[in-house]
Amino acid sequence: MSTHVTLPDGNALELPDQATGADVAAAIGAGLARAALAIEVDGELRDLARPVDDGAAVSIVTATADAALALIRHDAAHVLAAAVMELHPGVKISIGPAIENGFYYDFDFPPGVSISEDDFPAIETKMREHVKAAEPFVREDLPVAAARERFVAEDQPYKVELIDDLVRDRDVQTVSLYTNGPFTDLCRGPHAPSTAAIKAFALQSTAGAYWRGDSKRTMLTRIYGTAFLSKATLEEHLERLELARARDHRRFGRELGLFNFSELAPGNAFWTPHGTTLWNTLRDLAGELTRARGYTEVKTPQLYDAQLWRISGHWDKYRENMFITQDEERPMALKPMNCPGHCALYAMDHHSYRDLPVRFSEPGLLHRNEPSGTLHGLLRARQFAQDDAHIFCTEEQIREEVASCLDFGFDVYRMFGFETKLEFSTRPEQRIGDDALWDHAEGALVAALDGLGLDYSVNAGDGAFYGPKIDMHMTDSLGRAWQLGTVQLDYNLPERFELTYTGADNAEHRPVMIHRALFGSFERFIGILLEHLDGVLPVWLSPVQAIVLPITDHQSDAARAVLEALRDGGLRGELDARSESVARKIRDAELRKIPYMLVVGEREAAAASVSVREHSAGDTGVVALGEFVERLRSETVQRSR
């Protein structure tokens, strides 16, 4: 008996029966065997110690592969748990996955034990011992009863609950355990051959996290960390994090006087007058561009009877993220999204094929009951407004409408200098609608993308629960990726709400629905923009575009005239009439990152001119007041970067 596999170059390889991934690597070459971390078998990532399937397509995973980082970060999560259990006997362990930029593990510490960043050096020292020992990751497949009994004996109730859930939800008969050194965890894997693959790691922060994300369950302590395949890349990552901390939009919110937060309203921003000007300017831009592209702005209710959410499917799939109340025994919910309300609005009127596409837009206020541990300033809030739009169209109009949405997005992002990439997300595990409907919806989006000749990546399983989507991503000045806009195709909601239009054949037909948001939410977009631009907003978006700085009180009247000229020109100006030196006034304006400082001294007052100073650029010369107003108006109208 022998095992045959196909290598990435198409060549076949014959191996002994029950050959493992390590055997495959060794058969190819000794160097590859030393560098191997895991193996892909027909697209599934596996440990090197596991047998490969006869006839499978295989690929050896080394440190250069995309999958390598997630692999060793998962390894590091196990090493973290091993270290914490040694340092704190009696701790209960729950879960520890790899995440986008690192890993975490959730712990239930004994009474009286509290973990903070001050404890990290001791934990990291213990982790380094496990890494240096090059402990093998050993997999063991056990019947669920034996595994459950083991964790009961070890007094690890969270692992017992996870096993019970696997039996109940998936009818699992066996589970896999992984052991490294003294530590054994319930885990499906895979892992690298040993802890030695973790070349560099660092613990970063702690947070509270409810078990299973349920606020009625135990609050656990989550320890976050990150790991890399070299010390150099770890150091680069930590340096970027320091830069990101320095650019935290919440700090800019306070220092630039834009917004703030309070425990009186968790997850909700308090916008100052200047912050509100910024927010309104962005919203007005969205409205202007939306109207120019044939959308009609609408306004729908904030609070709906639960029946709307039952029809849409949100009551079953999304209820835990909704704010729910009662009205005379009727369950009601604040809207977390506009789409069901737009469906209800569409259904209130009769539509002909001649009316389509119908394009509703609404910069509507939304509320989502995000877990407290996930809130993060404007980037993850409970109250926000989206530049939301929904298009009801015929099947034949899908390609043109999707293309128009994407083109709209590209135009918006060019204003801010964002280069965007497209990602196509397919059906998630939890979804509504049958597979035939999903096949049709996914095929329609792919046809639109391919027909436009656009490059895109595929993110399998990350679609909305009602339909596939195209997400638009940008990478900021710190190298971080952000999802901005989304275009989603939906056959489900028109079906659930029984939406119709009268076709040319005088029969009733079902429209297709396209969900479209380009800024995502105005709040999140502002947070991303502040961090990307280090708080320096383009002049057209700045709440204060120019500040007038009289040198002495003798120029007060001339300075007020400059301010009046700015405002008459439709510009946003401010006067600093404090009895401070002009140097102090300039310094304060620089800290506020105001684009233009207009110094008015005796000469400027006499000549109706201003001495212009640009933020971070210094003095640019004396200019006639009228000329400067026209220049600033031009920059504002053209939305110059």
Side-chain angles (χ1 to χ4, degrees), residues 318-620:
Y318 201 77
R319 183 169 24 173
E320 67 275 11
N321 293 107
M322 298 168 68
F323 287 103
I324 297 171
T325 186
Q326 293 281 127
D327 176 32
E328 298 178 349
E329 306 303 317
R330 296 170 65 190
M332 310 281 287
L334 288 171
K335 64 178 178 182
M337 62 275 299
N338 290 308
C339 27
H342 286 187
C343 287
L345 179 62
Y346 178 94
M348 291 176 184
D349 202 355
H350 175 266
H351 299 275
S352 160
Y353 72 97
R354 294 187 180 90
D355 305 325
L356 270 54
V358 170
R359 305 184 187 100
F360 290 154
S361 72
E362 180 174 9
L365 193 62
L366 305 176
H367 293 83
R368 296 183 185 175
N369 190 11
E370 302 284 4
S372 59
T374 67
L375 298 176
H376 185 70
L378 300 179
L379 304 181
R380 191 74 176 267
R382 286 176 171 165
Q383 176 185 281
F384 54 91
Q386 285 189 325
D387 66 313
D388 216 358
H390 296 95
I391 302 164
F392 301 90
C393 65
T394 68
E395 191 80 27
E396 295 75 25
Q397 292 168 332
I398 290 174
R399 177 173 165 178
E400 183 178 351
E401 291 301 314
V402 169
S404 178
C405 289
L406 295 175
D407 184 63
F408 192 173
F410 294 141
D411 281 351
V412 168
Y413 305 143
R414 272 193 290 268
M415 288 184 181
F416 299 92
F418 294 164
E419 294 291 332
T420 52
K421 294 181 179 180
L422 303 181
E423 181 180 76
F424 172 51
S425 297
T426 60
R427 68 195 75 184
E429 188 173 331
Q430 296 294 319
R431 59 183 182 269
I432 56 178
D434 59 32
D435 285 344
L437 208 56
W438 277 86
D439 289 342
H440 191 67
E442 289 173 355
L445 276 190
V446 168
L449 287 165
D450 291 345
L452 292 165
L454 295 171
D455 292 328
Y456 61 93
S457 61
V458 177
N459 187 5
D462 198 47
F465 74 85
Y466 50 77
K469 60 178 181 171
I470 302 168
D471 289 333
M472 307 180 83
H473 296 259
M474 62 82 73
T475 300
D476 71 8
S477 57
L478 297 179
R480 300 171 301 179
W482 299 95
Q483 188 231 307
L484 297 175
T486 187
V487 180
Q488 304 173 0
L489 190 60
D490 188 355
Y491 287 86
N492 278 296
L493 283 185
E495 189 70 32
R496 295 174 80 95
F497 279 90
E498 299 181 352
L499 304 182
T500 62
Y501 69 90
T502 303
D505 57 1
N506 213 32
E508 295 294 289
H509 298 271
R510 191 79 71 211
V512 182
M513 186 177 184
I514 298 172
H515 306 244
R516 189 234 70 198
L518 300 178
F519 291 92
S521 78
F522 297 119
E523 288 78 2
R524 183 171 175 272
F525 193 88
I526 288 170
I528 292 170
L529 195 62
L530 286 170
E531 296 190 4
H532 173 62
L533 298 176
D534 197 18
V536 183
L537 295 168
V539 66
W540 64 270
L541 196 53
S542 295
V544 179
Q545 296 174 303
I547 187 166
V548 187
L549 310 177
I551 292 178
T552 70
D553 291 343
H554 297 297
Q555 289 87 47
S556 294
D557 289 343
R560 279 190 285 272
V562 172
L563 180 63
E564 187 175 337
L566 291 171
R567 291 177 174 172
D568 287 346
L571 302 168
R572 298 185 292 275
E574 193 174 285
L575 172 65
D576 186 348
R578 295 178 299 164
S579 298
E580 298 280 358
S581 69
V582 73
R584 174 64 185 270
K585 293 178 182 180
I586 289 171
R587 177 181 175 275
D588 290 347
E590 286 283 359
L591 290 174
R592 292 175 61 191
K593 303 182 188 293
I594 295 174
Y596 289 107
M597 287 144 273
L598 308 180
V599 179
V600 180
E602 189 175 335
R603 284 185 308 162
E604 289 83 8
S609 63
V610 289
S611 179
V612 180
R613 183 183 180 91
E614 292 185 25
H615 172 69
S616 295
D619 296 326
T620 60

